[in-house]
Amino acid sequence: MKDIRMILPNPASDTAGAASLLFQLDGLSIIHDAAGSMESYITFDESRELEGKRTVASRLSRLEAITGDDRILLDKIEQECAGNPPPFVAILGTPVPFTIGTDLEGIAAEAEFATGIPSFAVNSGGFEIYDKGAGEALKKVLEKTAQQPSGHTGCIVNLLGATPMDYSPAEIDDITQQLLARGADQVNNLTMTDGMEQIYKAAEADHNLVISVAGLPAARYLKQRYDIPYTIGVPFDSNIEAKRPAAQNRVLIIGESVFAKQLAHIVSQIPGVTAVAGIIGNDDTEIFPQVSSIRLDTEDKIINELRNDYTVVAGDPLYRLLLPPGHNCVFLERPHRALSGRLYPFSEYQLNHYLNELKRCLT
C-alpha cells in the first residue's frame, strides 16, 4: 500500500520511455498490448507531433493477447513493413504480455527473419520507471543498426540519454553549444533532433557524454564494442562563484539521477551548503558516488523526506503539493516531463540559468 500514489501521477512507465527514445528515429515501434498503453502514451507522455510517425499499437483483442497467438502480431508487423520498410522494428512490452510471459525476443527474431529488417524487443512491463525502457531501447537500437567506424576528422561527441522526458530542446541545444565551445567539432544527440544517420554513425564518436541514466547501458556497450570512452555528467558552468559564503543550508534536488546528482555536487561546493539528490528513477553506483543521495521512488518516501528541514527544494512543480503545512523552504521549479507531462511548458532557459537561480537562493 505504501507504493500507492494518492496525489502525484505515476512517472511515465518504461514503455513511454522506450517509445519516447525511439520517436525521432522513424522506425516501427509497436506497443504490444490489448488496450490502454498506447492511449496513455499519446495522451499524457508524448508532446511531439505524432503525424507521420510509426509508433503504433498491436491492437490485439484481450483473448488474442492472453492466448499468445504470435502469428497475429507477426502478420501485423509484416503488413506495416510492406512497401515502406522502416530502419528497424521495435516491439515494446506492456503489462499484459509481461504478466503472461510473452516471448517478445522470440517474436522480434521471427519478425527479423520474415522481413529482413533489424528487429528487437524492449522487455518493459509498464511497472518500472521510464528510464529503464529508454535505456534498453537505446542500447538495442545501437546493437542492431550502428555501423563499423570508417574514420573521420575532428572530435565527435555523442550525447547519450537525451530525451524530452528529462530535457527540453533548449537545454539540449545549450549542452551542444557548450561542448562545441569546449573543443568538440560535432555533437550528436542521436535521439532528440538527430535521426538514423547519426545512429548508424554512433561508433564514429571519439567520446560519449552520458546526460541521463538512460544513456548508461548504451555507453557501456559502445565502450565494450568499440572502445569509445564515456563521461557521466551535465556540462553546467560549475565555476560560477557564489557572491558570499552561504549560511548553514540544506538543499534537496529531486529528479533524474545524473541531473540531480550533478547539480547537488556543484551546489555542495558552496561553503555551508549540504546538498542531497533525491532520485525518482533508476540509479547506478557509477553516477557521482561521492554525492549524498536518496531513492524517492514512492510518494510516501517523498513526503517523509520533505518533512526534513531543507532550506531549498528543487524539482517539478507538482512536488509543492507534498510539502508539509507551514513549511518555510524556498521551492525552485523545473518541470520534469516524465512526471508532470503536458501540465507545464518546456523550459526556455539554459541550464546555467537554473544553477544561478539555485545559487541565488543560497547566498
Side-chain angles (χ1 to χ4, degrees), residues 27-188:
L28 175 60
S29 296
I30 298 180
I31 298 178
H32 183 31
D33 191 21
S37 293
M38 182 67 176
E39 286 77 6
S40 176
Y41 167 65
I42 64 176
T43 303
F44 301 107
D45 299 321
E46 187 52 68
S47 60
R48 293 166 290 185
E49 178 57 55
L50 286 162
E51 185 176 354
K53 297 298 180 180
R54 302 182 75 173
T55 303
V56 300
S58 60
R59 298 184 183 278
L60 301 188
S61 69
R62 291 185 180 181
L63 182 60
E64 290 169 344
I66 292 172
T67 57
D69 190 345
D70 298 344
R71 186 67 254 170
I72 298 174
L73 178 57
L74 287 166
D75 287 343
K76 291 188 176 184
I77 292 173
E78 292 181 36
Q79 290 169 11
E80 288 284 345
C81 294
N84 184 20
F88 62 84
V89 174
I91 304 172
L92 313 183
T94 60
V96 171
F98 176 82
T99 301
I100 66 176
T102 302
D103 183 10
L104 298 181
E105 297 282 2
I107 296 174
E110 290 190 59
E112 182 167 331
F113 179 80
T115 64
I117 298 170
S119 304
F120 58 90
V122 178
N123 290 297
S124 48
F127 297 107
E128 296 201 51
I129 293 297
Y130 70 100
D131 51 28
K132 179 182 182 296
E136 186 178 347
L138 179 58
K139 177 175 180 286
K140 287 188 173 181
V141 75
L142 289 171
E143 288 175 336
K144 282 290 185 179
T145 64
Q147 300 169 352
Q148 288 289 333
S150 57
H152 65 275
T153 59
C155 177
I156 299 176
V157 178
N158 289 331
L159 299 183
L160 300 182
T163 81
M165 291 287 178
D166 294 313
Y167 293 96
S168 71
E171 290 170 339
I172 293 297
D173 182 64
D174 180 26
I175 293 173
T176 299
Q177 295 306 315
Q178 288 196 57
L179 293 177
L180 291 172
R182 297 179 190 187
D185 295 293
Q186 180 178 333
V187 178
N188 301 323

Side-chain angles (χ1 to χ4, degrees), residues 1-6 10 297-301:
M1 294 295 289
K2 61 180 172 51
D3 293 340
I4 295 177
R5 290 177 174 242
M6 302 295 292
N10 282 315
D297 51 351
T298 69
E299 187 172 284
D300 187 59
K301 289 181 182 179

Side-chain angles (χ1 to χ4, degrees), residues 181-258:
R182 297 179 190 187
D185 295 293
Q186 180 178 333
V187 178
N188 301 323
N189 65 57
L190 301 185
T191 51
M192 279 278 282
T193 57
D194 295 339
M196 282 305 299
E197 190 64 26
Q198 282 68 37
I199 291 290
Y200 292 141
K201 296 180 179 180
E204 298 277 356
D206 298 284
H207 201 89
N208 289 318
L209 179 63
V210 178
I211 61 173
S212 79
V213 69
L216 200 48
R220 288 168 174 161
Y221 164 71
L222 292 171
K223 170 63 177 174
Q224 180 183 26
R225 180 70 177 81
Y226 300 104
D227 198 29
I228 304 174
Y230 65 88
T231 300
I232 302 171
V234 184
F236 288 101
D237 183 359
S238 58
N239 293 320
I240 300 174
E241 296 293 335
K243 292 182 180 179
R244 58 183 175 80
Q248 293 300 315
N249 291 321
R250 299 186 68 219
V251 179
L252 175 65
I253 301 167
I254 309 176
E256 183 276 328
S257 178
V258 175

